[in-house]
Amino acid sequence: MDAIQQHMFDSYRAARLGEAPPPEPGRHDWAVVRGIRDHRRFEAVIAGRPARGRLRAALRAVLRTRAARDGAPVDRPGTPDRPGTPDQPGTPDRPGTPDQPGTPDRCGA
């Protein structure tokens, strides 16, 4: 018996007994998902772990190790590990600008 058949059976029984009908299948699914998410965040805080961003951090770690293993560049320009973008001063993509600000041999001074 699937959820729809069970709901029809319960609705029929409730109507015969004069009770309120049961909620429709799937009506409270999102509330359950939100409750599970909130509970996991609560448990993370109690355990001393970050409550948010754990999945993204884990995915980032997996992708970085995979990229390092394959020999691909690990960081993109503009990330906190490598500030700047290709069109900003201080990046090796623009000729005539220093890679490392503050070194006189590369600044042309």
Side-chain angles (χ1 to χ4, degrees), residues 86-99 106-107:
D87 56 350
Q88 290 180 340
T91 59
D93 298 335
R94 288 188 59 188
T97 58
D99 306 6
R106 294 188 179 185
C107 292

Side-chain angles (χ1 to χ4, degrees), residues 32-55:
V32 170
V33 169
R34 281 190 296 273
I36 292 170
R37 181 194 62 200
D38 291 344
H39 180 72
R40 289 188 53 159
R41 285 182 179 172
F42 174 75
E43 291 293 327
V45 169
I46 296 299
R49 298 186 312 260
R52 299 181 73 187
R54 294 182 297 157
L55 179 63

Side-chain angles (χ1 to χ4, degrees), residues 1-108:
M1 183 180 307
D2 63 2
I4 298 296
Q5 292 170 341
Q6 182 66 44
H7 180 261
M8 289 172 36
F9 181 72
D10 291 340
S11 297
Y12 175 75
R13 183 187 48 79
R16 294 221 26 190
L17 297 175
E19 299 174 354
E24 297 159 357
R27 180 175 179 150
H28 301 291
D29 288 354
W30 288 114
V32 170
V33 169
R34 281 190 296 273
I36 292 170
R37 181 194 62 200
D38 291 344
H39 180 72
R40 289 188 53 159
R41 285 182 179 172
F42 174 75
E43 291 293 327
V45 169
I46 296 299
R49 298 186 312 260
R52 299 181 73 187
R54 294 182 297 157
L55 179 63
R56 186 174 292 153
L59 181 61
R60 188 181 309 120
V62 167
L63 291 177
R64 282 186 182 199
T65 56
R66 184 175 292 170
R69 182 189 64 213
D70 295 341
V74 177
D75 296 322
R76 296 185 328 247
T79 61
D81 300 329
R82 227 175 117 190
T85 57
D87 56 350
Q88 290 180 340
T91 59
D93 298 335
R94 288 188 59 188
T97 58
D99 306 6
Q100 300 172 345
T103 55
D105 57 336
R106 294 188 179 185
C107 292

